[in-house]
Amino acid sequence: MSYVEIPLVRLAGAALLIAIAVAVSRRRKLDLEKDLLVGAVRAAVQLVAIGYVLVLMFRSESTWLVIAALTVMLVVAAWTASRRVTHGPGWRVLMPRAALAIGAAFCVALLPVLAWVIPVRPLLSARYAVPIGGMVMASGMNVVALTLERIMSSAHQRAVVIEQALALGASPAQAMQPIHRQALRAALTPTINSLLTLGLVQLPGMMTGQILSGTSPLQAVRYQLVIMYQLVAVAAVAGTLAAWFAQRALFDDRGRLRRFPAAVQDGGKHGGS
Amino acid sequence: MQDQRSPRLRVTGLHVRRGDRVVIHDVGLDVAPGETVSISGPSGCGKSTLLRALAWLERPDAGRIEIDGEDAETIDPRAYRRRVSLVFQEPPMFDGTVADNVRFGPRLLGRELSDSEVAALLRQVSLDPAISSRDASRLSGGERQRVALARSLANQPRVLLLDEPTSALDPEAAHGVIAQIRHLACDGLSVVAVLHVPEHARSLGDKHLRMRDGRLEPEESTA
């Protein structure tokens, strides 16, 4: 074994680090002690549970189990991306669209990589598809959430400008063009920033993990680069699709802008303005 | 050739609801080619909503809108909005110069207006063509309204819908704009204008209508 195992007793000892934050909270009267303790326990329970699930999946090597795990991840990612959108048609309308955007980005960014760049067999091997798929979906989730929220809230704030463009003969796509451009730039910028600072400001978690587990740093770097390139593709595909879906939700079949009240959380309604 | 006696714009049985409230109630309206119709009424009576519905920006719950005998439902919305153009009460300016704004509509079709065409449109709304290079975001309220009018005219509409076109103008400029609109109507443009100043409504409209609780009623004829 090329890494140092962590005994459970020492893991429990590491949890004492939380006590520092609790002490700071108590001394400064931040009233965050309960949140810190609940957070620490929840993180431990969730991670230990997923650890056992991964052990089970690695042992069984069942492709169906991997597909099931990826599906659960996709549903949670889509729900998270769509539930906080203000001035939108509600999460029930947005969630299937968010799932399509994240799912399409997942297919574009992950499957060719597993087929050719990291040629694992079977294609959906749990050891590769679940952790890399998880990173890809988390990134897709953030991009879709950001794009949906930005487009919906911009369309609400700038409804008069959009309707003015429509009144002059613009199509919904033409009227939304400046908002789309801003939203996609905003969605892609964090990924581009992390590309630019990779290795200078941050050593990414995946690479650090591989190095700690005994992988050659040069191989770990290759894996990390593949992931980063994937995340760029995810941002582009998920962002573009999310923007397109947002636009479809914003206009009726005759190109009229729909108005949505703030923070509709129960979805389903598509009433005109 | 369009029969001069048949209406340019015909509205029948138009209803618009917002939730449980009926905002526009069974509105019917005929506007002939070159005719100017002014509509006045208290705030919140549905005047602006009517114009928005006529401009295809508001979904009617019932009724029919025809332009030159064609059912609006059968026309591409973009083409319809070029033919029936709405000028907002507080029209937003797009980024760029006044000329960029005037060129906006034709540009969507890939046509670039020449400098002289832009100047002619600005003159039509009593603006000095020298304004064309100014940043549109720095215009006064009155200048915005007139640039917005020129911007709509650049699409060569058949019907012009004006929401309070004189609200940001001083009396002299308001009379100038009313005279310009009447001049445009002489060239065959049909105009439906919402005006809250009775004097402006009377001097603009061949036909003067009053709106009350979403219903359109004839008031008086000044023709």
Side-chain angles (χ1 to χ4, degrees):
Chain A
M1 198 171 289
S2 57
Y3 62 92
V4 178
E5 280 202 21
I6 302 177
L8 275 176
V9 178
R10 298 193 183 201
L11 175 62
L16 289 176
L17 291 168
I18 296 291
I20 298 172
V22 172
V24 169
S25 170
R26 182 166 290 182
R27 192 171 176 83
R28 294 283 176 146
K29 298 189 168 58
L30 303 180
D31 197 24
L32 290 173
E33 298 93 307
K34 193 179 160 200
D35 289 345
L36 281 164
L37 291 172
V38 169
V41 172
R42 259 188 73 161
V45 171
Q46 284 167 201
L47 281 180
V48 167
I50 198 67
Y52 280 111
V53 171
L54 287 174
V55 167
L56 183 75
M57 287 169 71
F58 289 1
R59 278 196 193 138
S60 82
E61 275 301 342
S62 156
T63 303
W64 290 111
L65 212 53
V66 173
I67 290 173
L70 291 173
T71 307
V72 170
M73 288 154 93
L74 179 63
V75 169
V76 175
W79 182 68
T80 310
S82 50
R83 77 195 173 106
R84 290 197 196 277
V85 176
T86 48
H87 303 295
W91 68 268
R92 283 190 186 87
V93 174
L94 290 177
M95 189 177 149
R97 290 158 175 83
L100 271 174
I102 299 168
F106 171 85
C107 291
V108 168
L110 189 77
L111 297 183
V113 165
L114 290 184
W116 187 71
V117 184
I118 310 170
V120 286
R121 294 296 174 269
L123 187 71
L124 291 180
S125 155
R127 186 176 293 275
Y128 291 87
V130 173
I132 299 179
M135 277 191 277
V136 163
M137 278 201 238
S139 177
M141 174 184 80
N142 289 333
V143 167
V144 169
L146 209 66
T147 309
L148 288 178
E149 170 58 26
R150 206 173 170 110
I151 287 187
M152 290 294 179
S153 60
S154 298
H156 178 78
Q157 284 162 9
R158 297 172 65 185
V160 181
V161 180
I162 295 169
E163 288 194 327
Q164 177 65 80
L166 294 176
L168 290 165
S171 65
Q174 287 169 324
M176 289 294 288
Q177 202 181 36
I179 290 175
H180 266 199
R181 200 182 297 129
Q182 281 173 7
L184 280 178
R185 282 186 71 91
L188 279 164
T189 302
T191 315
I192 294 169
N193 284 346
S194 48
L195 270 185
L196 294 172
T197 58
L198 208 60
L200 297 175
V201 180
Q202 49 162 340
L203 277 184
M206 177 187 172
M207 191 172 124
T208 313
Q210 280 189 300
I211 292 170
L212 286 176
S213 67
T215 308
S216 146
L218 294 179
Q219 275 300 321
V221 161
R222 289 187 194 184
Y223 268 87
Q224 191 61 52
L225 273 177
V226 172
I227 294 290
M228 291 310 296
Y229 296 155
Q230 280 182 307
L231 297 191
V232 174
V234 165
V237 174
T240 305
L241 284 175
W244 189 69
F245 285 132
Q247 182 190 305
R248 301 256 313 185
L250 276 167
F251 293 89
D252 71 9
D253 56 336
R254 302 293 290 161
R256 282 175 286 233
L257 183 67
R258 292 184 171 114
R259 304 286 182 99
F260 298 108
V264 174
Q265 297 294 323
D266 56 353
K269 278 197 163 183
H270 250 208
S273 52
Chain B
M1 184 81 186
Q2 175 72 23
D3 180 355
Q4 288 295 301
R5 286 164 302 176
S6 70
R8 165 78 45 79
L9 182 74
R10 167 165 281 175
V11 183
T12 40
L14 198 72
H15 276 266
V16 178
R17 285 175 178 277
R18 284 217 180 111
D20 294 336
R21 201 166 73 94
V22 179
V23 187
I24 300 295
H25 190 91
D26 194 23
V27 162
L29 177 67
D30 276 0
V31 188
E35 187 180 26
T36 53
V37 176
S38 62
I39 300 172
S40 57
S43 298
C45 69
K47 306 185 297 286
S48 295
T49 306
L50 174 63
L51 288 192
R52 285 172 53 80
L54 297 183
W56 217 237
L57 292 173
E58 193 88 27
R59 179 187 281 278
D61 292 280
R64 183 180 166 99
I65 301 170
E66 287 171 46
I67 171 87
D68 292 328
E70 269 187 275
D71 183 354
E73 284 284 353
T74 64
I75 306 172
D76 180 293
R78 289 169 295 178
Y80 175 85
R81 292 185 189 119
R82 288 177 178 280
R83 285 159 75 175
V84 182
S85 192
L86 170 64
V87 181
F88 291 62
Q89 183 178 0
E90 290 176 16
M93 292 288 114
F94 300 119
D95 292 344
T97 62
V98 168
D100 289 330
N101 272 271
V102 175
R103 289 185 169 115
F104 185 89
R107 252 181 203 161
L108 294 169
L109 295 180
R111 192 169 96 78
E112 187 74 3
L113 293 184
S114 68
D115 289 347
S116 58
E117 286 173 308
V118 171
L121 284 161
L122 291 173
R123 271 192 219 101
Q124 258 189 311
V125 295
S126 310
L127 279 173
D128 182 349
I131 202 176
S132 64
S133 58
R134 268 178 60 189
D135 182 350
S137 65
R138 293 173 179 274
L139 300 176
S140 69
E143 287 169 332
R144 273 170 187 250
Q145 276 188 331
R146 281 181 280 177
V147 170
L149 184 55
R151 188 169 61 181
S152 279
L153 292 174
N155 275 344
Q156 298 176 315
R158 311 272 285 163
V159 179
L160 196 59
L161 308 170
L162 303 168
D163 195 356
E164 303 280 7
T166 56
S167 63
L169 303 177
D170 58 54
E172 194 184 340
H175 283 113
V177 164
I178 287 169
Q180 287 296 335
I181 294 167
R182 290 205 64 90
H183 184 71
L184 290 166
C186 290
D187 292 340
L189 182 69
S190 303
V191 179
V192 179
V194 161
L195 290 152
H196 74 280
V197 178
E199 183 202 342
H200 292 171
R202 276 190 292 274
S203 54
L204 178 73
D206 297 327
K207 189 156 64 185
H208 183 204
L209 303 171
R210 193 162 172 81
M211 197 149 201
R212 228 176 251 129
D213 298 329
R215 293 169 197 269
L216 211 49
E217 302 162 352
E219 187 163 273
E220 62 190 84
S221 175
T222 56

